[in-house]
């Protein structure tokens, strides 16, 4: 091996054209057996790895920056959505309170409309109804089932009301 | 010489640059050290302060910060409703508007008062005085009517907001605020007023059932903690803690609203027609002890129509029962085997007992009367004769067994247990007065309880006013009826029932008769004892009638007491017809059919 070839500058490709110089002819050397071979050298690849790493780092840096920026935007957007949602929740809560109050007022109105005094006033004053002088009883024909056996009495749980308790209660105090 | 002078000058050392005053400042190194020390001291102070804030006082500052941001919103618990036996509201809580002020924030008290007064229908001077009080909180007007609440809300909107709906910074109502507050309403007006009692503006019961059941009705207030920003908006994802309010339990009474109304109406008519001071009535189911109606009416002022009384006299007030008390003497005599109902006694119209001579209402010669006759004629003398044979001890024993001088078990606020002399305190005339209902004080409920024992085959069933409580989740819990006890035998109860039927069929209680039904009952007329002196009030009587129907199968019992009627003073005259009216309505309302066949003798 010629000392010239051995001391070729690192990183410089053989045969590379620098400036306006003519491309040198590929040199060959002969080995100990006299066979002609191209001139070879060991290439130090650490520079290549470094460059690749730099490229990777740069790429990762860019990706990280994009992710950070995107996260910030996402966070801001999420916060905006959250605030919007909270405003909506507040609005609905206010609306619910108003509706609840309205419901309670309606309950009161219904109860007042159903009060015995109002019913009597309406019946007598507006509809002209009068109280009967006496109660008329209808006697069932003989052989009919005795009404005394099956008739609801005061001791019955639901008494005379049309609405048993269980059907009334679910509508009371809703939401409170 | 100049040379000398020159040489002198030459000998002087060349002037050195003027140095700054000695000290650390002059030396850059020292100056740096001094600066470093200062910086270190400052940093140390900051570190110490930071350490104090972060370690020692951190909790206080965190709490202070939270206090600034977190708004606690009180969630008042809805007071439970009171329902009648059919689920109709007798008392309920509804939200209402309350106007309050922070006087420190009020800028224009006079102007605010002038603006508020017409809407609140209040005196502007009084409002202004309230707005000028010292302190941070004052009520301007509480618990407005719905209409007034709407008007005030509109006024606030108009004054505190501009045309674009944005808040105005300066307006007359600055420092005046609105808040929601539950208010108690009775949809049926004053119906059962004394029974239900009242609730103060703070939602606490102070009388009647509202007082007695205040704790379960009240519920548990809650709180909502919200983190808010400066503008009062809720901070999204901020602190939010909800401690929900628990609604108070509802009460379901045994009372029937329609019956209560009719009883009050009929009593009111009786008070008006008899010019009485008042009247009371209790209607019950003797089998279950359920009170179906409890009414107290009082005469209106200056000739106004009678109105429901504020006091539940049927439980709170006592009166001398008079002749209605005779059933106890008769029941005891029969139960103890002293007499049978058919035993005949020769009854004069006057009977001296110790220092007092008792007499019957109408003069008559010696009459051969059975016990049933004595009761139906309401003979004082005959009853005293039976009592004398029975003896004071047994008379006293049976009066107590029948529940006189004992609390009814309803635990109603301010309930009276009545009064009876201890046996050791009886004097010579007690054996004459007490069996005929004088010298004994009872409340109407106690007296009706005695009749219920007769109606219920000799068994005493404790009365009930509250049928169930319903908690905030809607779970109904039936109240446990008290234990029953046997007072007299069934046979004795039936015998007394027959006697009571006679008292209505052809005795003093004939005005209590109801078409197609058999009524058992007894009249009573007693003088009113004076509260200021011994003896009785001249011309003041309590007229009463107590009984049950249908006598064959009692499902309804009632007592009517008229307080100081004018003109007709007898129970048979004015209380018995009221009993009939009430019972007739109740029988129809509760669908209690007349017994098959002709009404008359009970089986």
């Amino acid at each position: 091996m010629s000392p010239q070839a051995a001391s070729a500058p690192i990183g410089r490709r053989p045969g590379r054209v620098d400036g306006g110089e003519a491309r040198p002819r590929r040199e060959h050397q002969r080995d100990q057996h006299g066979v002609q071979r191209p001139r070879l050298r060991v290439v130090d690849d650490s520079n290549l790895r470094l460059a690749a790493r730099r490229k990777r780092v740069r790429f990762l840096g860019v990706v990280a920056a994009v992710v950070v920026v995107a996260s910030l935007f996402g966070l801001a957007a999420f916060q905006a959505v959250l605030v919007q949602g909270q405003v909506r929740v507040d609005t609905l809560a206010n609306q619910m309170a108003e509706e609840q109050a309205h419901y309670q007022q309606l309950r009161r109105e219904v109860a007042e409309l159903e009060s015995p005094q109002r019913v009597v006033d309406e019946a007598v004053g507006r509809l002209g109804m009068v109280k009967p002088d006496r109660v008329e009883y209808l006697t069932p024909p003989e052989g009919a089932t005795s009404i005394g056996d099956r008739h609801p009495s005061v001791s019955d749980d639901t008494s005379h009301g049309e609405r048993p308790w269980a059907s009334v209660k679910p509508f009371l105090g809703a939401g409170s | 010489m100049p040379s000398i002078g020159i040489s002198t000058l030459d000998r002087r050392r060349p002037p050195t640059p003027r140095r700054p005053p000695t000290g650390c400042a002059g030396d850059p190194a020292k100056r740096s050290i001094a600066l470093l020390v200062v910086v270190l001291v400052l940093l140390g102070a900051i570190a110490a302060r930071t350490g104090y804030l972060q370690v020692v006082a951190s909790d206080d500052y965190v709490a202070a910060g939270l206090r600034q941001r977190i708004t606690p919103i009180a969630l008042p618990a809805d007071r439970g409703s009171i329902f009648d036996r059919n689920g109709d509201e007798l008392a309920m809580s509804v939200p209402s508007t309350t106007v309050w002020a922070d006087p420190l924030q009020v800028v224009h008290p006079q102007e605010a008062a002038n603006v508020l007064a017409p809407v609140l229908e209040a005196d502007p001077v009084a409002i202004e005085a309230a707005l000028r009080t010292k302190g941070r909180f004052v009520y301007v007007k509480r618990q407005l009517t719905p209409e007034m609440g709407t008007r005030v809300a509109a006024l606030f909107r108009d004054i505190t907001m501009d045309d674009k709906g944005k808040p105005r910074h300066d307006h007359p109502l600055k420092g005046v605020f609105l808040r929601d507050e539950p208010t108690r309403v009775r949809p049926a007006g004053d119906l059962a007023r004394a029974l239900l009692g009242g609730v103060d503006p703070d939602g606490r019961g102070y009388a009647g059932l509202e007082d007695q059941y205040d704790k379960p009705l009240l519920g548990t207030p809650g709180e909502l903690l919200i983190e808010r920003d400066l503008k009062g908006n809720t901070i999204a994802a901020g602190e939010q803690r909800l401690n929900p309010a628990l609604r108070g339990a509802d009460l379901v009474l045994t009372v029937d609203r329609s019956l209560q109304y009719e009883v009050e109406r009929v009593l009111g008519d009786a008070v008006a027609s008899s010019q009485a001071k008042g009247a009371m009535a209790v209607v019950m189911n003797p089998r279950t002890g359920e009170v179906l109606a409890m009414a107290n009416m009082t005469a209106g002022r200056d000739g106004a129509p009678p109105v429901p009384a504020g006091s539940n006299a049927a439980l709170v007030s006592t009166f001398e029962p008079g002749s209605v008390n005779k059933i106890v003497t008769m029941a005891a005599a029969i139960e103890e085997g002293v007499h049978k109902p058919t035993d005949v006694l020769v009854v004069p119209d006057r009977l001296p007992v110790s220092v007092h001579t008792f007499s019957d209402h109408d003069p008559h010669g010696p009459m051969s009367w059975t016990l049933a006759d004595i009761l139906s004629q309401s003979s004082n003398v005959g009853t005293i004769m039976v009592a004398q044979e029975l003896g004071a001890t047994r008379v006293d024993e049976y009066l107590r067994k029948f529940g006189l001088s004992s609390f009814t078990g309803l635990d109603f606020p301010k309930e009276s247990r009545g009064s009876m002399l201890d046996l050791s305190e009886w004097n010579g005339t007690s054996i004459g007065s007490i069996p005929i209902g004088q010298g004994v004080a009872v409340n109407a409920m106690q007296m009706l309880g005695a009749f219920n024992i007769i109606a219920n085959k000799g068994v005493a069933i404790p009365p009930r006013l509250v049928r169930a409580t319903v908690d905030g989740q809607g779970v109904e819990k039936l109240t446990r009826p008290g234990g029953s006890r046997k007072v007299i035998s069934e046979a004795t109860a039936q015998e007394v029932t027959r006697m009571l039927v006679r008292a209505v069929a052809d005795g003093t209680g004939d005005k209590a008769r109801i078409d197609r039904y058999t009524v058992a009952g007894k009249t009573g007329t007693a003088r009113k004892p004076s509260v200021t002196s011994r003896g009785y009030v001249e011309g003041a009587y309590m007229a009463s009638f107590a009984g049950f129907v249908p006598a064959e199968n009692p499902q309804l019992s009632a007592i009517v007491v008229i307080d100081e009627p004018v003109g007709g003073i007898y129970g048979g005259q004015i209380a018995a017809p009221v009993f009939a009216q009430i019972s007739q309505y109740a029988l129809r309302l509760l669908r209690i059919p007349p017994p098959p066949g002709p009404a008359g003798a009970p089986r």
Side-chain angles (χ1 to χ4, degrees):
Chain A
M1 187 195 290
S2 72
Q4 191 182 359
S7 63
I10 295 167
R12 188 169 177 185
R13 290 177 186 171
R16 180 172 176 176
V17 178
D18 288 331
E21 288 179 16
R23 187 175 179 181
R25 217 160 39 90
R26 178 174 283 186
E27 292 178 31
H28 291 80
Q29 63 178 8
R30 293 179 185 277
D31 65 5
Q32 54 190 346
H33 304 292
V35 179
Q36 192 175 16
R37 290 185 172 183
R39 290 172 64 88
L40 295 174
R41 62 183 173 85
V42 177
V43 176
D44 183 1
D45 63 348
S46 61
N47 282 345
L48 291 175
R49 284 206 301 274
L50 193 63
R53 196 182 303 132
R54 279 181 187 154
K55 198 174 175 183
R56 222 170 27 242
V57 167
R58 210 176 297 132
F59 175 73
L60 286 175
V62 169
V63 168
V66 168
V67 167
V68 167
V69 170
S71 300
L72 286 174
F73 272 108
L75 214 60
F78 178 69
Q79 183 68 14
V81 170
L82 210 62
V83 170
Q84 276 184 341
Q86 187 59 56
V87 169
R88 175 99 177 115
V89 167
D90 285 357
T91 308
L92 287 175
N94 287 340
Q95 197 179 338
M96 200 172 78
E98 282 173 17
E99 294 299 330
Q100 184 70 26
H102 184 55
Y103 163 73
Q104 297 288 359
Q105 291 299 346
L106 289 178
R107 253 187 78 196
R108 174 187 182 164
E109 277 181 42
V110 169
E112 285 173 348
L113 289 171
E114 285 179 344
S115 76
Q117 183 62 59
R118 197 203 76 90
V119 172
V120 169
D121 289 347
E122 285 288 306
V124 175
R126 198 162 66 86
L127 303 175
M129 297 172 85
V130 292
K131 281 185 172 289
D133 293 334
R134 60 192 301 271
V135 180
E136 293 294 337
Y137 294 93
L138 301 175
T139 306
E142 270 188 42
T145 310
S146 168
I147 57 168
D149 294 340
R150 61 176 187 180
H151 205 84
S153 71
V154 67
S155 58
D156 291 334
D157 258 357
T158 53
S159 72
H160 75 284
E162 294 162 17
R163 299 168 299 167
W165 175 253
S167 70
V168 175
K169 180 60 196 172
F171 301 106
L172 302 177
S176 55
Chain B
M1 291 179 291
S3 62
I4 293 170
I6 293 165
S7 65
T8 305
L9 286 170
D10 290 342
R11 275 202 305 269
R12 280 194 308 194
R13 291 170 66 185
T16 53
R18 188 182 177 85
R19 284 185 178 177
T22 57
C24 58
D27 186 342
K30 286 181 181 174
R31 200 162 52 208
S32 299
I33 290 170
L35 187 64
L36 185 66
V37 168
V38 169
V39 170
L40 283 177
V41 167
L42 287 174
L43 283 176
I46 291 171
R49 181 67 181 163
T50 307
Y52 172 77
L53 293 178
Q54 291 291 329
V55 179
V56 181
S58 64
D59 290 347
D60 294 343
Y61 281 94
V62 167
L66 283 176
R67 274 200 301 275
Q68 284 181 349
R69 294 193 310 277
I70 287 190
T71 309
I73 299 172
L75 302 174
D78 283 345
R79 190 177 173 87
S81 299
I82 301 180
F83 297 93
D84 83 337
R85 61 189 293 115
N86 302 304
D88 293 322
E89 282 104 337
L90 295 170
M92 60 195 293
S93 289
V94 294
S96 66
T97 304
T98 282
V99 185
W100 68 279
D102 177 355
L104 269 185
Q105 292 187 42
V106 175
V107 183
H108 317 285
Q110 191 180 6
E111 208 176 333
N114 289 335
V115 168
L116 287 170
V119 182
L120 297 180
E121 295 168 14
D123 180 15
V125 178
I127 295 177
E128 187 182 341
L131 297 178
R132 288 187 188 279
T133 53
K134 289 181 179 174
R136 299 298 308 267
F137 184 92
V138 64
Y139 283 118
V140 178
K141 188 157 185 175
R142 297 185 75 175
Q143 298 169 355
L144 309 180
T145 61
E147 298 77 24
M148 199 180 278
T150 308
R151 286 205 303 271
V152 166
L155 176 76
F156 265 72
R157 236 184 350 262
D158 293 345
I159 290 185
T160 62
M161 300 281 188
D162 63 16
D163 296 339
K164 294 175 183 172
K166 290 185 178 173
R168 286 195 176 106
H169 294 297
D170 189 36
H171 55 81
L173 295 179
K174 200 170 176 63
V176 185
F177 308 95
L178 303 179
R179 64 179 288 198
D180 284 339
E181 199 175 31
T183 187
R184 200 70 165 164
V185 293
R186 288 197 294 260
D190 279 343
L191 190 79
R193 176 185 168 198
L195 178 62
L196 298 175
V199 174
D200 67 19
D202 293 323
R204 302 300 302 256
Y206 62 82
L209 291 172
E210 297 273 21
D211 180 18
Q212 187 181 351
Y213 288 89
D214 190 45
K215 201 175 170 187
L217 283 167
L218 205 53
T220 311
E223 192 178 51
L224 174 62
L225 297 176
I226 301 182
E227 216 170 343
R228 292 185 190 273
D229 61 16
L230 276 176
K231 291 180 180 173
N233 299 318
T234 307
I235 297 174
E239 184 100 16
Q240 277 205 18
R241 270 177 281 164
L242 173 65
N243 179 22
L246 295 176
R247 187 178 198 273
D250 297 323
L251 287 189
V252 185
L253 304 188
T254 57
V255 168
D256 186 296
R257 187 172 69 170
S258 298
L259 182 58
Q260 178 76 24
Y261 172 78
E262 183 64 10
V263 172
E264 288 187 3
R265 191 191 66 79
V266 173
L267 275 188
D269 288 350
V271 169
S273 62
S274 65
Q275 301 170 53
K277 280 177 113 177
M280 54 187 150
V282 182
V283 184
M284 288 181 72
N285 176 354
R287 286 178 177 174
T288 61
E290 289 180 335
V291 177
L292 303 172
M294 186 177 276
N296 305 272
M297 298 296 287
T298 185
R301 287 183 182 173
D302 303 325
V307 292
S311 168
N312 192 7
L315 280 166
V316 171
S317 302
T318 58
F319 61 98
E320 286 198 357
S323 296
V324 286
N325 201 42
K326 289 172 183 169
I327 62 155
V328 180
T329 308
M330 293 301 175
I334 296 167
E335 180 73 5
E336 291 293 319
V338 174
H339 279 297
K340 295 195 292 289
T342 50
D343 286 353
V344 177
L345 282 75
V346 178
V347 181
D349 62 349
R350 300 172 73 81
L351 183 69
V353 178
S354 184
V355 296
H356 186 73
T357 299
F358 291 88
S359 61
D360 282 343
H361 173 255
D362 295 320
H364 58 79
M367 303 290 288
S368 295
W369 279 340
T370 63
L371 257 62
D373 294 329
I374 290 170
L375 197 66
S376 69
Q377 296 306 314
S378 198
S379 167
N380 292 336
V381 173
T383 306
I384 294 168
M385 289 167 65
V386 173
Q388 284 175 326
E389 290 181 66
L390 195 60
T393 306
R394 287 191 286 192
V395 169
D396 178 75
E397 178 194 345
Y398 273 88
L399 285 171
R400 293 182 194 279
K401 272 187 174 179
F402 271 79
L404 275 66
S405 190
S406 297
F407 286 113
T408 60
L410 288 172
D411 292 331
F412 195 83
K414 298 180 183 171
E415 179 184 336
S416 170
R417 66 185 295 181
S419 64
M420 252 180 71
L421 286 176
D422 192 80
L423 191 58
S424 62
E425 295 172 309
W426 281 36
N427 58 28
T429 59
S430 293
I431 192 65
S433 60
I434 290 175
I436 60 171
Q438 294 175 3
V440 186
V442 298
N443 64 40
M445 187 78 232
Q446 284 174 324
M447 203 63 243
L448 183 58
F451 277 78
N452 283 345
I453 292 170
I454 305 292
N456 210 29
K457 299 177 181 172
V459 177
I461 305 277
R464 277 201 301 163
L465 263 171
V466 177
R467 193 182 195 187
T469 57
V470 184
D471 66 21
Q473 281 72 46
V475 179
E476 186 176 10
K477 279 186 195 167
L478 294 175
T479 53
R480 195 176 295 172
S484 59
R485 61 186 172 86
K486 190 82 174 171
V487 178
I488 53 173
S489 67
E490 185 178 339
T492 301
Q494 284 181 336
E495 294 289 359
V496 178
T497 300
R498 286 194 187 93
M499 293 162 72
L500 291 173
V501 167
R502 272 203 60 194
V504 173
D506 52 18
T508 55
D510 62 332
K511 287 192 166 59
R513 282 185 294 200
I514 301 170
D515 187 29
R516 296 179 68 102
Y517 289 88
T518 313
V519 178
K522 182 72 189 83
T523 56
T525 307
R527 299 179 70 183
K528 282 184 77 173
S530 170
V531 290
T532 54
S533 60
R534 287 178 65 88
Y536 293 93
V537 180
E538 195 57 43
Y541 293 87
M542 297 290 277
S544 57
F545 184 92
F548 49 88
V549 64
E552 303 86 348
N553 179 24
Q555 293 183 62
L556 196 73
S557 63
I559 183 168
V560 175
V561 183
I562 312 284
D563 183 5
E564 281 193 41
V566 177
I569 57 163
Y570 298 107
Q573 279 180 299
I574 54 169
V578 176
F579 171 93
Q581 273 183 282
I582 290 172
S583 298
Q584 196 164 35
Y585 178 84
L587 289 166
R588 195 170 75 245
L589 180 78
L590 302 170
R591 299 182 182 176
I592 300 169
R603 281 148 280 169

